[in-house]
Amino acid sequence: MEPNSEITKEKYGVDISSIRGAQVRIDPYIHKTPVFTSGSLNDMSRRKLFFKCECFQKGGAFKFRGACNAIFSLNKDQADKGVVTHSSGNHAAALALAADLRDIPAYVVIPNNAPNCKIQNVIRYSGQITYSQPTLQSRETTTTKIMQETGAVLIHPYNDVRIISGQGTIALELLEQAPEIDTIIVPISGGGLISGVALAAKSINPSIRILAAEPRGANDAALSKAAGEIVKLPETNTIADGLRASLGSLTWPVVRDLVDAVITVEDQEIVEATKLCYEVLKVVVEPSGAIGLAAVLSDSFQNNPAWKDSNHVGIVLSGGNLDLGVLWDSICGL
């Protein structure tokens, strides 16, 4: 199969060479995560499903790939001043862990309503936490202040070519582990994960389908695709706390051009899919990570003739960091 020559670094900031470079750079540090299958879930979905278990990644989520690539791309002068980011959870922990491996400071701005389990992960990995109000303006203002005081390098959670390249290594592994895959379903929020996956997968196989899975209560990507420009929501409301960000200037062009569709699902569908991951796959997944399964089981996927040839579907289980009490309350409320 001929590679896709239209995916260039000049066009998207990232290409297959930068993703393969990231794979070499992060290989000594990451886990090559397994791919699980389930006959029961195949029967339910009427497809053969391949679950890429990034919940088993270091730090408990895919974010470690991008963070590791960013940290180990820094020169010594940059690294000595440390890194800074703002994040509600998985990126914060991933950056703290990667910085700890390189023995440099990580300054992390976290909104004061972030899940406790994700805050504890940052503390565990020696991240230096500063709390902000749960607004983007507060997060960015606090981050800028830290940069001015320390000289630390900003590592954005998703709008960064080093991050996107690192996340793209998931697709390199997945298509090596299950080359028969014709469709990949990926959670979408800020777009770093799906951008990396789409750029890598469509460089290798231009005909592969890339579908985004998004909560109905945070459906800015679906609205953006429909409008042909970035749409930002005044507020979001979803149990999937990792899927509340807006698309960035680097991720939007990839989503616009290379993501074939966005499937939106209700929170109840996300909770039910999370339950199935526990009960059938025997895997601990956070709601944000289970949304791909919710999408493939949804009526909008199952009854859409556009996806009738999607018979071998890769699903990225993006993370497994969650407050079990919140999930338990949601399950009991069904």
Side-chain angles (χ1 to χ4, degrees):
M1 187 174 297
E2 290 296 320
N4 191 339
S5 60
E6 295 182 3
I7 297 176
T8 64
K9 190 175 291 186
E10 291 73 24
K11 190 172 185 179
Y12 296 115
V14 173
D15 63 4
I16 191 66
S17 65
S18 65
I19 295 170
R20 293 196 188 281
Q23 187 177 42
V24 172
R25 187 174 295 111
I26 68 179
D27 181 69
Y29 308 104
I30 66 161
H31 292 318
K32 183 175 182 180
T33 54
V35 172
F36 282 10
T37 58
S38 164
S40 297
L41 295 178
N42 290 349
D43 292 343
M44 289 179 66
S45 66
R46 296 179 296 171
R47 272 91 176 162
K48 189 163 186 182
L49 306 181
F50 301 85
F51 295 92
K52 181 62 169 166
C53 296
E54 284 297 294
C55 46
F56 296 143
Q57 189 52 260
K58 289 182 181 178
F62 76 94
K63 293 278 191 179
F64 182 68
R65 294 175 182 265
C68 202
N69 188 49
I71 291 287
F72 285 94
S73 296
L74 298 175
N75 63 41
K76 185 178 185 304
D77 288 342
Q78 292 172 318
D80 286 346
K81 294 176 181 177
V83 292
V84 62
T85 196
H86 59 82
S87 167
S88 61
N90 285 336
H91 175 69
L95 196 72
L97 175 56
D100 195 43
L101 289 174
R102 192 165 175 181
D103 196 26
I104 64 175
Y107 306 97
V108 181
V109 177
I110 297 182
N112 55 22
N113 64 344
N116 184 62
C117 66
K118 296 184 178 182
I119 294 172
Q120 292 305 313
N121 281 344
V122 176
I123 295 170
R124 186 177 301 119
Y125 303 136
S126 305
Q128 300 180 40
I129 295 176
T130 301
Y131 291 100
S132 71
Q133 295 300 311
T135 65
L136 183 59
Q137 181 179 1
S138 175
R139 288 163 57 160
E140 290 181 342
T141 300
T142 307
T143 300
T144 299
K145 183 181 178 184
I146 293 172
M147 290 171 64
Q148 293 170 343
E149 292 173 350
T150 65
V153 178
L154 175 65
I155 308 293
H156 194 277
Y158 52 86
N159 207 46
D160 184 305
V161 295
R162 299 162 298 188
I163 295 291
I164 295 169
S165 296
Q167 319 308 24
T169 62
I170 292 171
L172 299 184
E173 287 182 12
L174 178 57
L175 293 178
E176 187 179 90
Q177 293 164 310
E180 64 269 44
I181 285 174
D182 53 48
T183 304
I184 305 177
I185 302 181
V186 188
I188 190 166
S189 182
L193 172 59
I194 199 167
S195 292
V197 168
L199 288 163
K202 293 216 173 194
S203 293
I204 296 167
N205 176 6
S207 65
I208 199 167
R209 303 173 190 91
I210 304 296
L211 305 179
E214 184 173 52
R216 184 86 58 193
N219 65 338
D220 61 290
L223 295 174
S224 298
K225 286 280 282 184
E229 61 183 10
I230 295 178
V231 174
K232 294 191 176 182
L233 301 175
E235 60 181 8
T236 59
N237 182 20
T238 176
I239 190 174
D241 65 90
L243 303 181
R244 296 172 181 165
S246 299
L247 295 167
S249 59
L250 295 176
T251 59
W252 162 241
V254 182
V255 173
R256 179 193 63 207
D257 298 347
L258 301 181
V259 173
D260 294 281
V262 181
I263 300 169
T264 55
V265 295
E266 303 291 347
D267 270 17
Q268 181 174 332
E269 295 174 280
I270 297 172
V271 172
E272 289 171 346
T274 306
K275 275 186 65 182
L276 287 171
C277 287
Y278 278 66
E279 294 175 350
V280 179
L281 280 183
K282 314 302 182 189
V283 170
V284 174
V285 180
E286 61 189 278
S288 301
I291 195 172
L293 177 58
V296 81
L297 295 176
S298 68
D299 290 341
S300 57
F301 179 85
Q302 290 289 323
N303 299 330
N304 190 334
W307 317 128
K308 63 181 176 63
D309 295 325
S310 292
N311 296 312
H312 297 85
V313 181
I315 295 176
V316 180
L317 299 180
S318 55
N321 297 315
L322 76 162
D323 283 335
L324 285 172
V326 174
L327 179 63
W328 180 254
D329 290 345
S330 300
I331 291 171
C332 291
L334 288 179

